[in-house]
């Protein structure tokens, strides 16, 4: 038996990273699955009549060891992976898919769940118990429990293939990202780049025993180059390299994988009696139907498109006037937008970065959480880490009671995927009278400190940190009985509310004064800069909105139809982008082949939820603004009805308890400057 199959004898029951050997994982998974199967067998072998407690509750508490093992393994596969772990992931995913199907297609278990579900009107259940019962029943019905045996087998085969295809998709993107390097030996090629970006590129080259400078497709390297590099040809080269991930007709190509995933998802939905994959997914969302999503996206498109066109024309004439550019291309957008922003607002990221030293921003997020929700964060070094870069904290409430353990992992490295995310190593639940507190993690890819400078964040990175920390608070403050509806286990189009609402504090003088101090002088960020940040917040909001809507519409174009007739990924994508494209298409680039959110992550038929949640967050923050951004009454209501409730009730019900009314899109349009 491996260390992963025993009770962890560690402080706060944290993951024993240093004691885990890579070869432990596969036997641990096999053992974990065996134990979980035994727990399921105990439920089905129970000779007593099915009750909520002996069936629904028992089912939700089952598989605890396997769930913890899975969270440790798959979190590391995203944050600290290697070839061995990726190989194990390929071996383990079908085992887990089979096990999951063994549960959802277990007829004896479904009979017991159905018996409780059919008698629910006579049961005296709490709202949370009712929600759990619905979720468990739908977990079976939406996964084929009502299907005849031959169709169940087909479903199993589809699920197994999908789990492997999604992994393969992600592996290809990581390999593409790691494979590309732009090696520069002439310093003039770096013209325009801030000193910090130059130094980081030099350090990266040194770390690989190369002269000169290295630029990669990792965001902290890619974004500054695309924003500041004067050399247009090199921006084009880098942009095209970024855009052709998974689209090169080689061993890392994702075109067939995309077509196959879309087709299998459609077949699965049809098998279960749904028109499309989107119909299947959206049944469990606030938005409810693909029609509602499409009309929501198109309604915003109608408001954003005129503004986006005006902004694009302004950018075009600015680039022509500045550098004689006749045709603006995608690799010009970040560069000229930054120059125009500087001209209009006399503001650029390099001016702001000295005020956003990473450690200060972390403390700022902690202080905001303390003022709003009474939380205290204490850095501790008594628990295991999976990498030296990881920071570990003990989170307590005003009475000194443990709320959560918090892991923070902020810098890029070879075994880590791009982007930023929140995840969990241990869920919150109340079991046997004990409130088990969660272990939450934020993972980001910020610029590392250099020999001469600490890690200084761009303003965009500051909002990213607050965004992911908002998700973290949703996990930390969870206070529900059952693990499967705790924390961020909510409808996908509700899950972004806590994260997006927290970003608003980054624009407020009252909050910025708490942490935005110059890393050398200690001077608080000048108010004129704060005013400029606020004024520039709606800069190119029309184009930004159009971009987000284009991704949402692309997602629906793959999943809201029968994809059987799609044979060419690129031409399908060009058509889907028809109403939202401003720049000329780049023939050798394709977004779908690296659109990890929908083909690897959980956002298929759900990308619209970012905009949906923006409507919620703008409306929610207006409430804070009305009463004061640190108003305890509003903060307590947000904590009580949103952050602590997980998925225990319908999200609209929870939102209305907090806000007193349904959200209105006007708040978002006002904030974005799109209401004329």
């Amino acid at each position: 038996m491996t260390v992963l199959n025993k009770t962890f004898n560690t402080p706060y029951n944290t993951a024993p990273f240093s004691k885990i050997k890579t070869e432990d994982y596969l036997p641990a998974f096999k053992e974990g699955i065996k134990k979980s199967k035994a727990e399921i067998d105990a439920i089905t072998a129970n000779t007593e009549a099915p009750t909520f407690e002996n069936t629904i509750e028992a089912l939700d508490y089952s598989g605890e060891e396997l769930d913890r093992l899975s969270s440790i393994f798959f979190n590391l596969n995203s944050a600290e992976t290697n070839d061995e772990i990726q190989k194990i992931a390929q071996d383990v995913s079908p085992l887990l898919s089979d096990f999951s199907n063994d549960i959802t297609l277990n007829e004896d278990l479904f009979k017991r769940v159905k018996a409780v579900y059919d008698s629910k009107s006579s049961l005296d259940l709490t709202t949370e118990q009712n929600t759990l019962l619905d979720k468990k029943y739908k977990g079976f019905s939406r996964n084929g429990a009502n299907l005849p045996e031959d169709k169940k087998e087909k479903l199993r085969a589809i699920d197994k293939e999908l789990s492997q295809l999604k992994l393969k998709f992600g592996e290809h993107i990581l390999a593409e990202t790691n494979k590309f390097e732009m090696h520069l030996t002439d310093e003039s090629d770096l013209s325009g780049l801030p000193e910090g970006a130059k130094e980081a590129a030099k350090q990266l080259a040194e770390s690989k025993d190369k002269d000169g400078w290295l630029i990669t497709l990792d965001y902290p390297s890619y974004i500054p180059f695309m924003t500041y590099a004067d050399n247009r040809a090199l921006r084009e080269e880098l942009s095209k390299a970024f855009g052709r991930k998974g689209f090169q007709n080689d061993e890392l190509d994702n075109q067939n994988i995309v077509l196959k995933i879309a087709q299998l998802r459609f077949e699965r939905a049809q098998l279960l009696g749904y028109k499309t994959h989107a119909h299947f997914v959206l049944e469990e969302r606030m938005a409810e139907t693909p029609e509602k999503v499409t009309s929501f996206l198109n309604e915003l498109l109608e408001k954003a498109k005129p503004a986006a066109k005006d902004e694009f024309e302004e950018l075009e004439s600015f680039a022509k006037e500045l550098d004689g550019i006749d045709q603006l291309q995608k690799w010009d957008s970040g560069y000229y937008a930054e120059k125009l922003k500087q001209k209009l607002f006399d503001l650029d990221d390099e001016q702001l970065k000295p005020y956003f030293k990473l450690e200060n921003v972390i403390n700022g997020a902690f202080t905001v959480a303390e003022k709003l929700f009474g939380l205290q964060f204490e850095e501790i070094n008594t628990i295991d880490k999976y990498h030296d870069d990881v920071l570990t904290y003990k989170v307590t409430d005003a009475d000194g009671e443990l709320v959560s353990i918090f892991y923070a992992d902020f810098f890029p490295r070879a075994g880590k995927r791009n982007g930023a995310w929140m995840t969990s190593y241990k869920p919150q639940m109340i079991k046997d009278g004990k409130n088990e507190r969660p272990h939450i993690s934020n993972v980001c890819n910020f610029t590392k400190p250099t020999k001469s400078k600490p890690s200084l964040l761009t303003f965009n990175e500051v909002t990213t940190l607050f965004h992911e920390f908002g998700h973290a608070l949703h996990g930390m403050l969870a206070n529900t009985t059952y693990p499967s509806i705790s924390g961020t286990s909510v409808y996908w189009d509700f899950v972004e509310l806590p994260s997006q609402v927290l970003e608003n504090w980054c624009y407020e003088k009252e909050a910025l004064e708490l942490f935005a101090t110059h890393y050398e002088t200690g001077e608080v960020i000048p108010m004129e800069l704060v005013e400029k940040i606020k004024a520039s917040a709606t800069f190119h909001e029309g184009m930004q909105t159009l971009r987000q809507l284009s991704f949402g519409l692309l997602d629906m174009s793959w999943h809201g139809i029968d994809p059987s007739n799609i044979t060419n990924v690129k031409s399908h994508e060009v058509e889907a982008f028809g109403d939202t494209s401003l720049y000329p298409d780049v023939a050798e680039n394709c977004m779908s082949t690296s659109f990890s959110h929908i083909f690897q992550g959980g956002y298929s038929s759900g990308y619209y939820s970012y905009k949906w949640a923006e409507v919620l967050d703008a409306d929610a923050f207006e409430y804070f603004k009305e009463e004061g951004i640190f108003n305890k009454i509003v903060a307590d209501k947000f904590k009580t009805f949103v952050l602590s409730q997980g998925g225990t009730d319908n999200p609209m019900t929870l939102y209305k308890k907090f806000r007193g009314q349904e959200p209105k899109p006007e708040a978002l349009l006002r904030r974005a400057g799109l209401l004329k």
Side-chain angles (χ1 to χ4, degrees):
M1 194 188 286
T2 75
V3 65
L4 289 157
N5 299 111
K6 299 172 191 162
T7 305
F8 300 154
N9 185 20
T10 53
Y12 311 106
N13 191 15
T14 48
F17 296 113
S18 64
K19 295 185 178 65
I20 302 169
K21 299 185 183 76
T22 304
E23 60 267 27
D24 289 342
Y25 284 116
L26 196 54
F29 271 110
K30 288 177 178 172
E31 177 68 18
I33 289 170
K34 197 168 115 187
K35 284 184 183 174
S36 298
K37 279 182 173 170
E39 290 171 343
I40 300 297
D41 290 344
I43 297 170
T44 56
N46 193 333
T47 52
E48 292 175 21
T51 64
F52 181 84
E53 288 71 24
N54 72 18
T55 302
I56 307 301
E57 199 170 85
L59 182 55
D60 206 55
Y61 287 135
S62 73
E64 194 180 331
E65 181 185 293
L66 182 60
D67 289 344
R68 279 213 74 182
L69 162 59
S70 296
S71 66
I72 290 168
F73 176 76
F74 286 104
N75 284 337
L76 293 186
N77 190 35
S78 290
E80 183 60 11
T81 197
N82 54 42
D83 291 346
E84 284 173 273
I85 285 181
Q86 289 185 345
K87 168 76 174 71
I88 294 164
Q90 284 288 353
D91 293 339
V92 161
S93 288
L95 298 180
L96 290 172
S97 179
D98 280 350
F99 171 62
S100 172
N101 282 326
D102 283 343
I103 293 178
T104 50
L105 302 177
N106 181 325
E107 286 182 25
D108 293 336
L109 185 58
F110 181 53
K111 275 180 195 156
R112 289 186 72 89
V113 170
K114 193 172 187 317
V116 182
Y117 184 78
D118 289 344
S119 64
K120 83 171 178 177
S121 57
S122 64
L123 304 174
D124 187 20
L125 300 179
T126 64
T127 302
E128 182 176 356
Q129 288 172 328
N130 252 318
T131 303
L132 184 69
L133 177 53
D134 275 351
K135 182 171 180 163
K136 289 298 172 201
Y137 176 75
K138 281 183 177 171
F140 285 89
S141 65
R142 285 168 57 80
N143 284 292
N146 290 318
L147 292 177
E149 198 49 47
D150 60 327
K151 289 190 172 172
K152 281 182 182 173
E153 279 308 310
K154 189 169 183 202
L155 190 75
R156 281 172 185 265
I158 288 174
D159 284 344
K160 199 177 209 172
E161 192 174 355
L162 274 172
S163 74
Q164 288 169 306
L165 285 169
K166 280 158 60 174
L167 270 175
K168 187 61 77 185
F169 181 97
E171 283 171 16
H172 285 176
I173 298 309
L174 184 63
E176 287 267 43
T177 304
N178 287 338
K179 190 173 77 167
F180 177 86
E181 287 178 350
M182 190 160 78
H183 185 204
L184 304 174
T185 51
D186 183 345
E187 192 163 1
S188 66
D189 286 339
L190 300 157
S191 167
L193 243 61
E195 279 312 309
K198 273 184 175 173
E199 194 178 350
K202 192 164 193 59
Q203 226 164 282
L204 188 60
E206 282 170 9
S207 74
K208 300 199 175 184
D209 296 323
K210 292 186 176 177
D211 294 332
W213 301 265
L214 269 188
I215 305 295
T216 71
L217 300 180
D218 284 323
Y219 286 139
S221 179
Y222 175 77
I223 301 287
F225 199 90
M226 294 308 299
T227 309
Y228 296 107
D230 294 328
N231 189 320
R232 193 183 188 208
L234 289 178
R235 288 201 314 270
E236 178 179 352
E237 184 188 331
L238 192 64
S239 170
K240 284 181 173 175
F242 193 89
R244 64 171 174 257
K245 286 183 287 190
F247 188 61
Q248 301 190 70
N249 295 308
D250 57 8
E251 73 283 358
L252 299 175
D253 195 89
N254 275 341
Q255 289 174 86
N256 285 333
I257 292 178
V258 164
L259 292 171
K260 193 75 181 148
I261 288 174
Q263 186 60 34
L264 287 172
R265 283 172 172 167
F266 173 72
E267 285 173 22
R268 189 182 193 282
Q270 290 263 297
L271 210 55
L272 293 167
Y274 294 88
K275 191 176 169 189
T276 67
H277 178 65
H279 285 84
F280 169 76
V281 169
L282 293 165
E283 182 183 66
E284 297 270 83
R285 301 285 189 265
M286 288 177 86
E288 296 170 335
T289 66
E291 293 73 24
K292 246 191 187 177
V293 169
T294 307
S295 73
F296 167 74
L297 293 172
N298 284 327
E299 196 182 322
L300 286 178
L301 181 60
E302 201 182 307
K303 298 278 196 303
K305 199 168 179 179
K309 279 187 158 170
D310 290 347
E311 290 163 5
F312 185 71
E313 282 166 17
E314 181 187 32
L315 192 63
E316 266 189 320
S317 55
F318 174 72
K320 191 172 175 66
E321 180 192 327
L322 196 67
D323 289 331
I325 302 290
D326 282 326
Q327 175 65 69
L328 212 55
Q329 300 286 356
K330 286 181 181 173
W331 45 89
D332 297 319
S333 63
Y335 179 76
Y336 288 107
E338 182 62 27
K339 287 210 170 335
L340 179 59
K341 190 167 151 189
Q342 284 178 35
K343 182 187 167 189
L344 295 176
F345 304 102
D346 188 23
L347 180 75
D348 72 81
D349 266 331
E350 290 308 301
Q351 260 176 291
L352 297 174
K353 277 167 74 171
Y355 295 97
F356 296 122
K357 182 178 159 186
L358 175 60
E359 291 78 0
N360 294 348
V361 180
I362 296 167
N363 288 333
F366 291 169
T367 306
V368 167
E370 182 190 346
K371 287 173 84 76
L372 289 170
F373 311 119
L375 298 178
Q376 301 288 333
F377 292 78
E378 178 196 345
E379 189 171 357
I380 54 171
N381 293 305
T382 52
I383 63 177
D384 256 5
K385 305 173 177 192
Y386 55 86
H387 191 279
D388 284 345
D389 285 350
V390 179
L391 304 170
T392 45
Y393 299 89
K394 175 184 169 186
V395 188
T396 52
D397 63 18
D399 301 322
E401 293 293 317
L402 181 71
V403 170
S404 175
I405 294 297
F406 179 51
Y407 299 88
D409 177 2
F410 288 128
F411 302 122
R413 50 183 178 266
K416 190 176 183 181
R417 68 176 167 88
N418 256 328
W421 62 95
M422 166 268 181
T423 187
S424 148
Y425 283 97
K426 176 177 175 284
Q428 180 273 331
M429 68 181 104
I430 297 170
K431 190 179 179 188
D432 302 328
K434 184 178 180 224
N435 195 328
E436 292 280 346
R437 298 313 302 163
H439 298 172
I440 303 299
S441 172
N442 274 170
V443 188
C444 302
N445 281 278
F446 298 143
T447 308
K448 282 191 91 148
T450 62
K451 288 167 191 160
S452 67
K453 276 198 181 94
S455 177
L456 300 175
L457 304 190
T458 65
F459 187 70
N460 190 39
E461 288 175 324
V462 174
T463 58
T464 296
L465 188 147
F466 269 69
H467 178 102
E468 296 308 332
F469 189 62
H471 281 311
L473 290 172
H474 200 187
M476 290 179 207
L477 290 167
N479 197 25
T480 61
T481 306
Y482 304 109
S484 73
I485 46 178
S486 174
T488 56
S489 299
V490 298
Y491 281 2
W492 269 99
D493 44 8
F494 193 58
V495 79
E496 294 297 331
L497 167 61
S499 53
Q500 289 183 190
V501 82
L502 204 70
E503 290 182 40
N504 290 284
W505 273 261
C506 300
Y507 297 91
E508 297 298 320
K509 170 178 182 283
E510 233 181 305
L512 285 169
E513 284 178 338
L514 298 172
F515 67 91
T517 56
H518 197 286
Y519 79 100
E520 287 174 320
T521 66
E523 174 207 8
V524 174
I525 190 167
M527 271 311 92
E528 58 174 306
L529 280 183
V530 176
E531 290 310 317
K532 285 177 183 178
I533 290 171
K534 291 189 83 155
S536 66
T538 59
F539 176 68
H540 282 180
E541 190 61 49
M543 289 205 290
Q544 291 296 346
T545 301
L546 207 64
R547 184 170 177 269
Q548 285 290 92
L549 295 176
S550 74
F551 298 164
L553 290 164
L554 177 63
D555 174 23
M556 294 310 286
S557 80
W558 280 113
H559 297 117
I561 59 161
D562 173 354
S564 311
N565 294 325
I566 305 172
T567 52
N568 186 301
V569 174
K570 172 71 178 182
S571 52
H572 171 75
E573 178 174 297
V574 168
E575 195 180 324
F577 281 153
D579 283 342
T580 55
S581 56
L582 295 168
Y583 291 91
D585 178 60
V586 181
E588 57 266 57
N589 284 181
C590 180
M591 181 179 175
S592 298
T593 55
S594 63
F595 198 174
S596 301
H597 271 78
I598 68 168
F599 290 115
Q600 184 193 2
Y603 276 86
S604 62
S605 306
Y607 202 88
Y608 76 91
S609 63
Y610 282 106
K611 273 287 163 224
W612 185 276
E614 275 186 50
V615 168
L616 294 177
D617 101 66
D619 188 70
F621 193 64
E622 274 203 354
Y623 188 20
F624 274 100
K625 291 274 282 184
E626 285 160 15
E627 305 298 330
I629 66 165
F630 290 114
N631 182 282
K632 282 301 284 178
I633 295 165
V634 181
D636 283 346
K637 282 171 81 172
F638 195 66
K639 179 178 165 183
T640 304
F641 297 120
V642 177
L643 296 177
S644 68
Q645 290 297 309
T648 56
D649 202 350
N650 183 291
M652 192 58 87
T653 306
L654 293 174
Y655 188 83
K656 287 198 293 197
K657 281 182 179 175
F658 155 67
R659 185 69 168 102
Q661 62 186 42
E662 287 202 3
K664 298 185 175 79
E666 285 73 23
L668 171 63
L669 296 168
R670 256 194 303 279
R671 185 176 73 189
L674 297 175
L675 270 188
K676 296 293 181 227

